[in-house]
Amino acid sequence: MPLQAVVNRKLYIQIAEQITALIESGEFKPGRQLPSERDLAQQLGVSRPTVREALIALEVAGLVEVKIGVGAFVRAAAKGPLPEADHSALEIMQARALVEPELAALAALHITAEGRAELAGIVQAMHGQTARREWSQGSDRALHLLIAEHCGNQALKEIALTLWRGREEGLSAAFHQHLSRRPALLDRIMADHDGIAAAIAGSDPDRARAAMAAHLDYVQKEMLAVWD
């Protein structure tokens, strides 16, 4: 038998492909609930966060519907491709947690009066959205990238832009969309953004760094929290 090239593929994609094969074979029928995250993780010998990324990849492909606190259900609709080119949503968050606290600290030192005014406008818009129990990925992006814009370091700004491109890919966007449906999270994130903006506007780099670090740590923990 001829040898085949070895491909280092994402683990969650390999899991999603196994579940796809079971759906296509009729093992999991439309409308049926898949085994829980816990059961899938035990059967596959992987972590629950890895299973969660696989389920959301299946959701992005149109194969399942994920209901937070309930489980994942097979859909009858035709599927699209698995988001194999996407970055891991969890890895993107880990990278942001390393970079963005320093961006916030630098922005507190370098932001202009115009930047402070723009930051205040974004925060004000976020307050309106939160009051309506809405989540705006656009506002979230605008706030974080405005901070990067005023960090005073072009290389770090470009790193932030790269991370946010990953943040906006289908897998990561779906991950955050699920989080936004949790009411308590909306209020906490609004409070976090208030604190970050106040520290930057007040030219307090230590407080800005700590506020951003606490915010991203909270979001990471929510991404890893039990869903079913």
Side-chain angles (χ1 to χ4, degrees):
M1 183 179 71
L3 295 174
Q4 296 182 4
V6 175
V7 179
N8 183 18
R9 302 179 68 219
K10 300 180 182 75
L11 184 55
Y12 70 86
I13 289 292
Q14 296 179 51
I15 293 168
E17 286 181 336
Q18 288 192 53
I19 297 173
T20 298
L22 291 171
I23 292 172
E24 291 176 341
S25 71
E27 180 73 19
F28 297 137
K29 299 186 184 301
R32 178 178 171 181
Q33 184 174 357
L34 296 179
S36 68
E37 276 185 9
R38 183 188 303 277
D39 289 343
L40 287 171
Q42 289 176 346
Q43 292 177 47
L44 292 161
V46 298
S47 70
R48 291 184 68 176
T50 300
V51 169
R52 188 170 307 153
E53 287 197 295
L55 293 175
I56 293 181
L58 289 166
E59 183 179 42
V60 171
L63 272 168
V64 306
E65 178 183 4
V66 176
K67 299 180 181 179
I68 302 303
V70 181
F73 295 80
V74 179
R75 297 183 61 182
K79 72 178 181 73
L82 291 169
E84 188 162 0
D86 286 8
H87 294 82
S88 161
L90 298 173
E91 289 181 356
I92 289 290
M93 277 303 305
Q94 290 167 358
R96 289 181 60 201
L98 291 174
V99 173
E100 292 199 43
E102 293 308 314
L103 291 176
L106 289 169
L109 298 175
H110 296 287
I111 195 165
T112 62
E114 292 80 6
R116 287 187 179 88
E118 189 175 352
L119 183 60
I122 294 170
V123 171
Q124 183 178 8
M126 285 180 155
H127 272 286
Q129 291 152 3
T130 301
R132 295 189 298 273
R133 315 316 292 163
E134 296 173 357
W135 169 259
S136 170
Q137 181 168 303
S139 293
D140 191 32
R141 182 184 195 275
L143 183 140
H144 285 272
L145 292 187
L146 178 68
I147 291 169
E149 179 70 30
H150 288 276
C151 76
N153 184 307
Q154 183 64 25
L156 285 174
K157 174 186 170 183
E158 290 170 2
I159 290 171
L161 287 168
T162 298
L163 290 175
W164 269 84
R165 290 189 193 104
R167 160 69 178 78
E168 293 170 336
E169 290 170 346
L171 183 66
S172 187
F175 226 121
H176 285 270
Q177 192 62 45
H178 281 300
L179 292 177
S180 73
R181 297 190 179 104
R182 303 176 67 176
L185 183 138
L186 289 178
D187 294 326
R188 168 61 191 268
I189 287 183
M190 187 68 256
D192 284 356
H193 285 154
D194 274 334
I196 293 165
I200 291 173
S203 302
D204 189 334
D206 292 336
R207 188 158 61 98
R209 181 187 295 109
M212 181 66 80
H215 167 60
L216 295 176
D217 180 65
Y218 170 73
V219 175
Q220 284 191 79
K221 286 178 178 176
E222 288 296 313
M223 292 175 79
L224 294 170
V226 174
W227 282 12
D228 61 16

